[in-house]
Amino acid sequence: QLQLVESGGGLVQPGGSLRLSCAASGFTWNYYAIGWFRQAPGKEREGVSCITSSGGSTNYADSVKGRFTISRDNAKNTVYLQMNSLKPEDTAVYYCAAPCSRDGSSWFFGDYWGKGTPVTVSS
């Protein structure tokens, strides 16, 4: 059983930065690609980023490419999402999930989700 717990969300001004963390537990942690998706009020879930189990390959939504960076530290059982140049449209609850993959414009997130951490970008 894989358990995921997000942290690091909060209120930030436009142009600011936040780093989200996803702490994982479970003996199969290292086997999974892990990613982030977000959901804003009244909007559909949106894939944000995904990183392979080795950390050797990453994917990003076009809306965050160049501003967000996903990384993982398998020794600490943690995946990070560094978010820079934040915009009001980045406001959402951010969830980490496993496994994850991307095929063109379609994202897949598997059965393991955290409870989410809210991010609000506002002046």
Side-chain angles (χ1 to χ4, degrees):
Q1 186 81 11
L2 184 65
Q3 295 181 326
L4 304 172
V5 178
E6 304 93 337
S7 62
L11 173 65
V12 63
Q13 292 186 342
S17 298
L18 283 174
R19 188 177 79 157
L20 306 183
S21 298
C22 173
S25 61
F27 71 95
T28 57
W29 150 257
N30 285 351
Y31 296 166
Y32 287 98
I34 294 187
W36 294 88
F37 67 91
R38 65 188 182 186
Q39 188 159 23
K43 294 188 176 181
E44 293 186 355
R45 189 178 73 179
E46 176 187 18
V48 175
S49 186
C50 182
I51 187 167
T52 56
S53 57
S54 68
S57 181
T58 57
N59 271 293
Y60 297 95
D62 289 344
S63 59
V64 307
K65 197 173 294 183
R67 300 188 296 122
F68 291 10
T69 303
I70 191 170
S71 62
R72 68 189 293 162
D73 184 339
N74 284 348
K76 296 183 177 179
N77 288 9
T78 303
V79 171
Y80 303 99
L81 186 69
Q82 178 67 44
M83 306 187 297
N84 298 329
S85 302
L86 283 161
K87 305 175 181 180
E89 51 263 44
D90 295 317
T91 295
V93 178
Y94 285 70
Y95 301 85
C96 65
C100 65
S101 63
R102 183 184 184 186
D103 181 8
S105 60
S106 298
W107 293 81
F108 168 78
F109 292 96
D111 293 336
Y112 301 109
W113 297 8
K115 294 184 177 180
T117 185
V119 171
T120 303
V121 185
S122 175
S123 55

